[in-house]
Amino acid sequence: MLSRYYTENDRFDAVNDYRASMPQFQKESFGQNKTLFALLDKLAEQKHATPAQISLAWMLCKKPWIVPIPGTRKLCRLKENIGAADIRLSSEEIKNIDAALDAMQMSDVFSGSPIKSKEE
């Protein structure tokens, strides 16, 4: 979702793609996340990066033990993700991003989606 490659019109196959059950990929969530998307777009423009790279760079700056593991099936997306390691965010930029995120209304995210047990 944070890559900004998906829109409210994208649909995922409920049988083969877990994103179909993730709240952040539901049609209404895109409207609820407009402020988040605007922040990502602004930061991406400032850093000459993509929104996905900004998202990953922010996670890399949070704690040394946080290792984001983005999923992809495309080599171009893997290269894009690797580019996040070259983005430098100052401690002041991180504080500003964190403050903006804390004050922002957003949709539910993955942690709020139903997880089916292996027995089901």
Side-chain angles (χ1 to χ4, degrees):
M1 177 191 79
L2 298 179
S3 68
R4 305 283 280 124
Y5 293 115
Y6 301 103
T7 71
E8 62 195 24
N9 298 317
D10 287 302
R11 297 289 170 259
F12 302 97
D13 179 3
V15 174
N16 297 313
D17 195 327
Y18 188 68
R19 290 174 291 190
S21 69
M22 296 173 77
Q24 64 266 40
F25 285 103
Q26 304 308 307
K27 185 173 186 163
E28 63 277 2
S29 295
F30 287 88
Q32 295 169 343
N33 291 319
K34 282 184 181 179
T35 307
L36 173 60
F37 296 147
L39 174 65
L40 282 173
D41 291 343
K42 177 183 160 194
L43 293 169
E45 185 177 329
Q46 289 173 353
K47 296 290 185 177
H48 306 288
T50 66
Q53 288 172 325
I54 295 298
S55 300
L56 291 169
W58 173 79
M59 283 189 278
L60 289 168
C61 290
K62 294 302 289 177
K63 302 285 182 190
W65 60 86
I66 294 177
V67 180
I69 305 173
T72 185
R73 295 181 181 141
K74 298 178 181 178
L75 180 58
C76 65
R77 297 289 171 249
L78 177 62
K79 290 178 180 179
E80 177 186 7
N81 292 341
I82 290 169
D86 295 327
I87 296 171
R88 301 290 173 243
L89 297 172
S90 70
S91 58
E92 186 68 24
E93 288 172 316
I94 295 296
K95 279 199 300 189
N96 290 339
I97 293 168
D98 289 345
L101 292 173
D102 286 343
M104 194 177 293
Q105 294 291 325
M106 291 181 261
S107 71
D108 288 336
V109 295
F110 179 78
S111 62
S113 54
I115 304 294
K116 295 180 182 177
S117 70
K118 291 183 180 181
E119 290 83 40
E120 289 183 41

